[in-house]
Amino acid sequence: MNILILTGAGISAESGIGTFRDAGGLWEQYPIEQVATPEGFAADPELVHSFYNARRANAAVAAPNAAHKALAKLEREHAGDVLIVTQNVDDLHERGGSQNILHMHGALNRAICAACNHRWPAPAEMYANDPCPSCNAPATRPDIVWFGEIPQGMDVIEAALQNADLFVSIGTSGTVYPAAGFVQSARAMGVQTLELNMETSSGVFKESRNGPATELVPVWVSEVLAGE
Ligand code: OAD
């Protein structure tokens, strides 16, 4: 059985990284168009860098929780493929021990040059005039996918969906496309679908279990491994 897992901010919530749309979430505190669009970056790059510098500092002090660790155990012990496609820009899946991870919305720990597309490990703090280590242009930006930009790895995700037997969505509200549409694609291809989330998001999943990820994910992983 090949398992494709989509994760969102809810899986990192209990590690102390705020979600976007829950009460008091990031998008209540910061206007999306100012900090998460190419237009916002063009208008005020220092504001956008300071927003992501703060996110990076927050992620650096957070630790992977029982849900991240359970998914790493699943990858180690499950006989079939396990791919995590995450919308999260933190590195808690990596630090939880998972290896097969695709960051479809980019990653806080990477920088990219808007002039030549060179990528490199992001320093703790980035500034608008930082020169690119490859072409020297002062065009450094966080390697984050903003609204209006195309998510990363869509070809890999499409192939993984076709290869999957089970699609599991964890800790995401299912409001941002194309990720929000993966469940419909999965169902159209006859792939089983399961949601593990604090609340039922779309009603499109064959099964939806509600509760905190640190409780639901280890239980589900134990069930999968016990069935093998
Ligand atoms: P959201 O903030 O939209 O949704 C978080 C979901 O997690 C909600 O459905 C919550 O009910 C659920 N949740 C909260 N705490 C939880 C917990 N402890 N255990 C389980 N579930 C919990 O975050 P995302 O769906 O990840 O994109 O947002 C998707 C994208 O929108 C993000 O990647 C980001 C944002 O704008 C970009 O910035 C491009």
Side-chain angles (χ1 to χ4, degrees):
M1 177 170 69
N2 295 330
I3 306 174
L4 175 55
I5 299 165
L6 174 70
T7 65
I11 197 168
S12 294
E14 291 162 87
S15 292
I17 298 182
T19 63
F20 296 96
R21 294 176 183 80
D22 290 306
L26 276 177
W27 293 156
E28 267 181 20
Q29 301 169 52
Y30 303 90
I32 289 186
E33 55 285 359
Q34 279 182 19
V35 299
T37 62
E39 295 77 15
F41 186 61
D44 193 344
E46 287 305 348
L47 173 78
V48 176
H49 274 300
S50 73
F51 174 76
Y52 288 100
N53 288 343
R55 306 276 76 72
R56 197 176 294 111
N58 183 204
V61 297
N65 64 45
H68 300 103
K69 290 177 190 167
L71 294 184
K73 178 179 163 78
L74 181 71
E75 182 186 291
R76 279 194 305 273
E77 299 183 14
H78 175 58
D81 293 349
V82 176
L83 171 65
I84 296 175
V85 172
T86 187
Q87 300 167 88
N88 297 344
V89 293
D90 66 57
D91 61 352
L92 295 184
H93 283 303
E94 285 87 345
R95 288 197 274 134
S98 291
Q99 295 191 337
N100 205 10
I101 308 158
L102 194 159
H103 281 272
M104 66 177 290
H105 289 169
L108 285 167
N109 60 16
R110 295 195 306 249
I112 186 169
C113 172
C116 75
N117 284 334
H118 176 68
R119 283 187 166 89
W120 68 99
E125 297 200 341
M126 292 170 61
Y127 299 95
N129 289 326
D130 289 346
C132 166
S134 177
C135 76
N136 223 32
T140 292
R141 56 168 275 183
D143 188 10
I144 302 282
V145 177
W146 289 322
F147 286 90
E149 298 183 323
I150 297 169
Q152 298 176 6
M154 287 305 295
D155 47 346
V156 176
I157 298 169
E158 186 60 37
L161 265 171
Q162 298 199 1
N163 182 46
D165 301 294
L166 174 63
F167 172 72
V168 185
S169 173
I170 304 173
T172 174
S173 60
T175 46
V176 176
Y177 283 83
F182 294 165
V183 60
Q184 277 101 347
S185 303
R187 290 204 74 157
M189 289 188 270
V191 177
Q192 288 295 312
T193 58
L194 168 67
E195 172 175 63
L196 306 175
N197 202 46
M198 195 63 91
E199 60 202 8
T200 298
S201 60
S202 65
V204 180
F205 291 85
K206 177 112 194 313
E207 184 186 353
S208 183
R209 300 183 188 177
N210 298 150
T214 54
E215 291 177 18
L216 296 180
V217 179
V219 168
W220 169 70
V221 166
S222 297
E223 283 172 19
V224 172
L225 295 176
E228 303 189 337

